[in-house]
Amino acid sequence: MTRIIGLISGTSVDGIDAALVDISGTDLDLKVELLAGQTYPYPAELRDSILAVCAGKAISMAELAALDDAIAFSFAQAAQNIQTGHQPAILIGSHGQTVYHRPPQSQGIGKPQSLGYTLQLGRGELIASITGITTVSNFRVADIAIGGHGAPLVPRVDAYLLSHPDEARCIQNLGGIGNVAYIPPRRDNWLEKMRGWDTGPGNSLLDLAVEHLTNGAKKYDEDGKWAATGSPCQSLVEQWLQQDYFHLPPPKSTGRELFGVDYLNQCLKDAGPYQLSPADFLATLTELTAASVVHSYQTFLPQMPQRVFLCGGGSRNLYLKERLQSLLKTIPVLTTDEVGLSGDFKEAIAFAVLAYWRQLDMPGNLPSATGAPHEVLLGEIHPAEK
Ligand SMILES: Nc1ncnc2c1ncn2[C@@H]1O[C@H](COP(=O)(O)OP(=O)(O)OP(=O)(O)O)[C@@H](O)[C@H]1O
Ligand SMILES: CC(=O)N[C@H]1[C@@H]2OC[C@@H](O2)[C@@H](O)[C@@H]1O[C@H](C)C(=O)O
């Protein structure tokens, strides 16, 4: 049994998710016990700076260094807080904060036309130094260096924690960005038959729209209550579904660079002639989110899953969940919590597992999800000083 802390702040930039876990086994016998999970919100000023950089604001190298410091300090503090009252962890897996992601141009698995680039701030060496705990960080760059997208990385962890002997499953994360892990029944060479990709917007457009419609008073639509009072405009959904990203075959990844402020502004412009109420506009964005997920399953999966398990903050948006269920018809839509894995902390747990695999010299990427030509060790190890 190894005690590990997993840390991530995702594309919603709402705060640092920290998970304290005990891990045993390695792959099919992998077991994770969540001892504590907590989200530590960023100080408002830090969040605003991160969002501005994500939206393309130019900053100086000095500002970049200060941002990296601030994020690393916040991550280190989250690690210290999460283990209060517990036996200390011996390892930290820290994803950091993505501030830029450029997917590679590719023509399928192992066929990159141009390399991707990704930048996560909150350097691991500083987290190791502050906490005194060996820290693995910078997980995405090794996959990108061999031509992969460096994302999504969670599918390999999903495979070992959520596969089923007889059932094809989709694990659908609805964070700022949505991503899916398709897990076929656990037979023959099931791992090679897995698929994974970023489906497009999760909550990013919805959150930006709520902020816009309330002049910043609200950051998200709690439980999807506001959107649920509106009706989606189908013609707009059809129009928006024509967007290139939704038709790009996997492997594929994306971020706030595409589904961010400029994208929302274009949606607002497109919606102008329809004179939608705020609730109708939110319902229409929700429908786009749900339809883009289901459309991608219908288009790119070898077969539809037997059950879909949601995770990430969007799984709490009951209207979005209802729309997914309606579009998926008879395929039950559940949450990963219903099969014993916290949907709120699954990503943080995954980075604890990825750090654990890195220490064991086990690969962390799933080439069919990232598009890399082969498996590779993920993450850089920063040993704590003795
Ligand atoms: N009760 C709720 N009702 C509706 N939406 C919610 C609720 N709780 C959380 N959310 C949504 O979930 C978002 C946060 O989700 P999550 O923390 O999974 O994203 P993330 O990890 O930052 O993103 P990613 O997975 O893309 O990296 C919030 O910004 C909000 O939009
Ligand atoms: C570059 C980056 O940070 N990508 C995130 C983002 O947030 C969701 C989706 O886009 C996913 O591909 C990825 O995160 C999760 C943790 C992953 O790698 O599986």
Side-chain angles (χ1 to χ4, degrees):
M1 194 99 80
T2 312
R3 182 153 298 181
I4 307 183
I5 294 168
L7 302 171
I8 181 170
S9 170
T11 53
S12 300
V13 198
D14 49 346
I16 301 161
D17 292 339
L20 179 71
V21 292
D22 274 344
I23 304 185
S24 61
T26 49
D27 36 59
L28 273 182
D29 60 345
L30 181 72
K31 292 218 167 26
V32 174
E33 189 190 346
L34 179 64
L35 304 170
Q38 192 74 44
T39 301
Y40 300 100
Y42 278 127
E45 212 176 301
L46 179 55
R47 178 173 198 256
D48 290 346
S49 308
I50 295 167
L51 283 171
V53 172
C54 291
K57 183 188 173 194
I59 57 170
S60 67
M61 282 297 152
E63 287 166 321
L64 179 71
L67 195 58
D68 191 52
D69 282 347
I71 293 172
F73 276 115
S74 294
F75 271 66
Q77 208 164 53
Q80 283 165 332
N81 289 343
I82 197 69
Q83 55 177 2
T84 308
H86 296 271
Q87 285 290 321
I90 59 145
L91 188 65
I92 294 174
S94 180
H95 170 269
Q97 174 69 60
T98 296
V99 289
Y100 181 68
H101 183 69
R102 180 189 75 199
Q105 303 273 317
S106 69
Q107 293 183 310
I109 296 167
K111 294 181 188 159
Q113 283 179 311
S114 72
L115 281 182
Y117 190 91
T118 199
L119 182 60
Q120 283 76 45
L121 297 186
R123 56 196 189 283
E125 50 272 49
L126 187 50
I127 298 172
S129 160
I130 295 170
T131 60
I133 302 172
T134 296
T135 300
V136 185
S137 65
N138 224 4
F139 287 91
R140 301 191 189 274
V141 294
D143 183 90
I144 286 197
I146 57 170
H149 283 249
L153 297 180
V154 175
R156 194 182 181 99
V157 180
D158 284 342
Y160 292 121
L161 293 180
L162 292 167
S163 67
H164 188 277
D166 309 307
E167 189 175 88
R169 294 178 159 184
C170 274
I171 315 303
Q172 179 68 45
N173 171 50
L174 295 166
I177 297 299
N179 64 335
V180 65
Y182 165 77
I183 318 178
R186 209 169 47 227
R187 325 183 187 110
D188 310 325
N189 47 348
W190 64 283
L191 205 55
E192 278 129 68
K193 293 188 199 148
M194 268 196 70
R195 296 285 175 270
W197 64 86
D198 286 355
T199 48
N203 303 289
S204 62
L205 298 178
L206 284 168
D207 286 355
L208 287 167
V210 167
E211 213 167 335
H212 170 80
L213 295 169
T214 63
N215 287 321
K218 287 195 169 166
K219 304 279 182 230
Y220 70 101
D221 178 17
E222 199 182 344
D223 302 341
K225 281 188 208 131
W226 192 4
T229 63
S231 310
C233 169
Q234 281 305 335
S235 338
L236 266 180
V237 175
E238 298 298 320
Q239 180 188 332
W240 291 342
L241 280 175
Q242 299 309 311
Q243 216 263 340
D244 287 352
Y245 185 78
F246 301 125
H247 300 273
L248 196 67
K252 57 179 175 175
S253 64
T254 189
R256 295 184 77 98
E257 295 76 15
L258 179 57
F259 296 107
V261 181
D262 292 348
Y263 200 97
L264 177 76
N265 286 336
Q266 185 59 47
C267 291
L268 284 163
K269 221 162 147 187
D270 294 344
Y274 293 92
Q275 302 203 311
L276 303 181
S277 68
D280 289 346
F281 184 65
L282 288 179
T284 308
L285 284 179
T286 308
E287 196 69 17
L288 171 71
T289 304
S292 64
V293 166
V294 176
H295 169 268
S296 81
Y297 293 3
Q298 289 163 341
T299 314
F300 303 122
L301 284 179
Q303 65 170 95
M304 286 302 272
Q306 282 148 287
R307 290 204 281 177
V308 174
F309 294 90
L310 303 181
C311 56
S315 61
R316 295 183 181 274
N317 181 327
L318 301 181
Y319 179 61
L320 175 56
K321 193 175 177 208
E322 182 193 304
R323 292 312 306 145
L324 278 166
Q325 181 61 83
S326 164
L327 295 172
L328 285 163
K329 303 197 172 88
T330 56
I331 300 170
V333 177
L334 305 144
T335 63
T336 58
D337 296 79
E338 291 170 78
V339 280
L341 189 58
S342 162
D344 286 339
F345 294 103
K346 189 164 75 66
E347 287 185 340
I349 292 169
F351 283 90
V353 172
L354 288 169
Y356 172 76
W357 282 341
R358 178 64 187 84
Q359 278 243 316
L360 295 173
D361 283 337
M362 288 175 59
N365 64 334
L366 191 69
S368 63
T370 66
H374 53 78
E375 294 179 339
V376 70
L377 297 182
L378 299 183
E380 294 156 6
I381 304 176
H382 307 285
E385 274 175 38
K386 291 274 176 275

